[in-house]
Structure formats: structure tokens, C-alpha cells
Amino acid sequence: MEKKTNSALVAYARRALREGWVYWYGTTGRPCTESLLKRKRAQYPAHYGSARTAAYRRHIAEKRYCADCINLVKGYMWLDEATGKQGYAINGCPDTNADGMFARAAQKGSIETMPDVPGLIVRFSGHAGVYVGEGRVIEARGFAYGVVETALSARPWTHWYEMPGLSYGAQTPPQESVLGSRVLRRGSRGEDVRLMQEMLLRCGYALP
């Protein structure tokens, strides 16, 4: 069984962002083709209405890749990187939807408890994204957006979890930032954030 790691998932998500992958419901990071469109239209007719046909055909002509939110992650988990082909429900990753994957996760919690570990999955009901570090998330956001990068604090994420089948044991410990070496924003994490919070408390500010 191929070992899948959090750092490689982040790299895969960054590739999807860089290449401008589009959102097709029920797809797992595959090239947009007429045959794939035909299969998905038969499988999910409510998601493949005629109003979007021109856009689907444009994606095909532009030779884009497509994925939806949790299937962006499953596409990496099921990928044999030696051959470039995807298997099905392999590498410890089941075939389930965004809510089902959260339910199956062994390690998870509310978003305010999330450790700063790239490769964690963030979610709200019916949707998921990949936390890539520094308070940023890459997600297949929807048909009108495709794969985008957003601030963790800018979206209504409610929970985090470790992706089933993904190894988080080999991550490189994050480098700690010295206070004053970077701009702190909502969602920033690290020792410099803790020190700033202590200073604010000493100055009489009430923190959540």
C-alpha cells in the first residue's frame, strides 16, 4: 500500500490551484472529457443541467482537470503516482461524501481547536477543504469558482479532521516566527501569536 502523507496532499492541492482545476460534481481530479461529462450527467442529472453545457464544453476544449470538494482529496488518496492512474477506495480512504468522511475520521475537533498542521481537512456541513498552513485553505469551492485559495478565517469552517488513510506523523515541525517578523492576521498561529496575546492581556484587553 502506498504511503500517503499530509505534505504530499498539500502539494497536490497546490498543483490543482496552480493549474486552474474546475469544479465538476462527483469528479476526482480527472481530465475533463466528453465521456466523463456523459457519465456524470447520467449519474447526477440534477448537477449537470443544460444551462452549464457551454461551460463544460469550454473546460473540455481547454483540457482542464476537474474535481469537487472532498473528491479533490480522494483523488490524491487514490492516485498511484508511479502510473498517474487512480484506483478506487484504496490507501485506507473510503468512498464517501464530505459529511461521511468527517464522520469516519478518528482525529477531529471544532475549528477553534485546530492545530497548525498542513494537510488537515477543514469542513462545514456538505463541504471540505485542505488546510495548507499559514491560515490558508485550498478548496474546490463550487462550479462558479473552481479550485481556489481562501483565508481560513474568511469561510464558515466549523471543524477540522485528519483525513482517513493519510499519514501525519512525518510532517516537518513548523518554523516558529519571531514576534514582529510577520504581519499577524486572524487565523495566524504560532509562538509569536501566543506572545502577542499575553502582551494584550497585560495591557488589559479581553481576549476570546
Side-chain angles (χ1 to χ4, degrees):
M1 182 179 293
E2 182 180 352
K3 185 177 181 180
K4 294 291 184 173
T5 67
N6 60 319
S7 57
L9 171 61
V10 169
Y12 183 86
R14 291 195 184 282
R15 173 197 161 194
L17 177 69
R18 183 174 64 252
E19 295 180 356
W21 290 14
V22 294
Y23 184 100
W24 284 21
Y25 186 82
T27 62
T28 59
R30 295 176 179 270
C32 300
T33 64
E34 285 286 352
S35 60
L36 180 62
L37 177 59
K38 183 178 179 180
R39 291 199 308 274
K40 294 304 170 182
R41 180 171 281 156
Q43 189 176 6
Y44 305 110
H47 291 273
Y48 285 84
S50 59
R52 294 177 175 177
T53 298
Y56 289 131
R57 294 271 158 70
R58 184 175 69 252
H59 298 159
I60 293 167
E62 293 172 351
K63 302 184 185 304
R64 300 286 195 97
Y65 275 62
C66 55
D68 70 17
C69 66
I70 195 60
N71 280 323
L72 174 66
V73 183
K74 289 192 292 189
Y76 163 70
M77 297 299 297
W78 296 351
L79 179 66
D80 182 338
E81 296 178 63
T83 64
K85 295 181 180 180
Q86 290 179 357
Y88 176 73
I90 59 174
N91 296 315
C93 175
D95 183 14
T96 186
N97 62 19
D99 291 342
M101 199 68 76
F102 174 69
R104 290 170 183 245
Q107 300 296 324
K108 53 191 169 184
S110 57
I111 199 66
E112 64 271 12
T113 69
M114 189 179 79
D116 192 15
V117 177
L120 291 175
I121 309 303
V122 293
R123 59 89 61 177
F124 53 81
S125 181
H127 191 58
V130 180
Y131 179 67
V132 296
E134 291 295 319
R136 308 295 292 179
V137 175
I138 292 176
E139 56 176 312
R141 183 168 176 175
F143 184 80
Y145 300 91
V147 174
V148 296
E149 183 175 347
T150 55
L152 176 69
S153 59
R155 301 276 283 140
W157 308 112
T158 59
H159 295 84
W160 64 271
Y161 62 94
E162 291 188 357
M163 183 67 188
L166 196 64
S167 173
Y168 289 87
Q171 74 251 16
T172 302
Q175 286 188 321
E176 289 292 356
S177 299
V178 176
L179 184 60
S181 66
R182 60 173 177 158
V183 176
L184 299 182
R185 298 181 174 88
R186 184 175 181 181
S188 295
R189 300 169 188 272
E191 179 66 12
D192 54 343
V193 175
R194 186 186 67 79
L195 289 173
M196 176 59 74
Q197 289 173 333
E198 288 183 353
M199 292 171 66
L200 289 169
L201 287 169
R202 286 199 297 269
C203 290
Y205 289 93
L207 300 180

